[in-house]
Amino acid sequence: QMQLQESGPGLVKTSQTLSLTCTVSGASMSSGSYYWSWIRQPAGKGLEWIGHIYTSGDTYYNASLKSRVTISVDTLKSQFSLRLYSVTAADTAVYYCARWDNGNDDAFDVWGQGTMVAVSS
Amino acid sequence: DIVMTQSPDSLAVSLGERATINCKSSQSVLYTSISKNYLSWYQQKPGQPPKLLIYRASTRESGVPDRFSGSGSGTDFTLTISSLQAEDVAVYYCQQYYSTPWTFGQGTKVEIK
């Protein structure tokens, strides 16, 4: 059973770069047709799709964040990463990594537990 | 962007009774060429990540109890819990993947009356 686990700093200073890594375990990242995704959720609010990456390296970003986001993948390490530049308090949220099954479910079928990131000066 | 609007924002239902959540998209999420609606439903309990319940509008994810069902097409969708159980207390989200950016509804909170 594939599992995902986010890791990274819980506090980032305003205008700095938020960097998170999602480690995939239990199966190979290349074992199916998946998009590796980042989603965030401000406290008490709804879900916002940030973007995703295919194992080929093709990326898709939410246009609202596109100028500040980079998602990368390292299949040898079974990891994919998020970098969000020039953060503000509005970027404070729980960040989830998730697997999008593009072959069977057409959905986010595996999620990490989430990691809280606060942005503060 | 496709805007997903859920109704109601919250509802309280007695144990064993039916709960119905509606989701409306600002444009159709039906891929007519393959007759598939690109819509999914998730359940999120406090302190937990969302859990997939339904994909392609009406296909139940493996392991999801059959009291959960999805219906609808085009722009109007419904998630139904046929007989509410205590463990169903959660926030439910619909999500479209017809076009990027993929977007979620604002969520519907389901409580016990």
Side-chain angles (χ1 to χ4, degrees), chain A residues 55-120:
Chain A
T55 47
S56 65
D58 291 342
T59 53
Y60 301 83
Y61 300 131
N62 190 324
S64 67
L65 297 169
K66 188 174 184 178
S67 63
R68 298 196 294 128
V69 172
T70 298
I71 298 176
S72 58
V73 65
D74 186 337
T75 54
L76 295 180
K77 292 184 177 180
S78 292
Q79 294 178 333
F80 62 105
S81 299
L82 169 71
R83 302 197 74 175
L84 182 63
Y85 309 100
S86 303
V87 297
T88 69
D91 296 311
T92 294
V94 174
Y95 286 75
Y96 295 102
C97 59
R99 182 182 84 173
W100 177 270
D101 186 339
N102 202 43
N104 296 318
D105 294 358
D106 287 354
F108 295 114
D109 64 343
V110 181
W111 295 68
Q113 283 300 306
T115 187
M116 176 67 198
V117 179
V119 178
S120 175

Side-chain angles (χ1 to χ4, degrees), chain A residues 100 106, chain B residues 1-2 4 25-34 36-40 74 77 95-103:
Chain A
W100 177 270
D106 287 354
Chain B
D1 298 5
I2 298 178
M4 308 301 290
S25 57
S26 60
Q27 64 186 74
S28 176
V29 297
L30 170 65
Y31 260 109
T32 54
S33 60
I34 56 173
K36 297 293 185 185
N37 287 282
Y38 280 21
L39 181 117
S40 54
F77 301 90
Q95 180 238 334
Q96 66 82 20
Y97 48 97
Y98 181 88
S99 66
T100 56
W102 294 348
T103 48

Side-chain angles (χ1 to χ4, degrees), chain A residues 35 37 39 41 45-49 52 60 62-63 96 100 103-109 111-113, chain B residues 1 38 40 42 44 47-52 54-56 61 93 95 97 100-106:
Chain A
Y35 291 138
S37 309
I39 296 154
Q41 184 174 36
K45 297 189 177 181
L47 299 157
E48 180 182 32
W49 172 74
H52 60 238
Y60 301 83
N62 190 324
Y96 295 102
W100 177 270
N104 296 318
D105 294 358
D106 287 354
F108 295 114
D109 64 343
W111 295 68
Q113 283 300 306
Chain B
D1 298 5
Y38 280 21
S40 54
Y42 300 85
Q44 186 178 32
Q48 296 185 18
K51 173 189 173 183
L52 174 63
I54 303 284
Y55 59 96
R56 294 179 196 155
E61 172 72 340
Y93 294 94
Q95 180 238 334
Y97 48 97
T100 56
W102 294 348
T103 48
F104 294 83
Q106 81 277 17

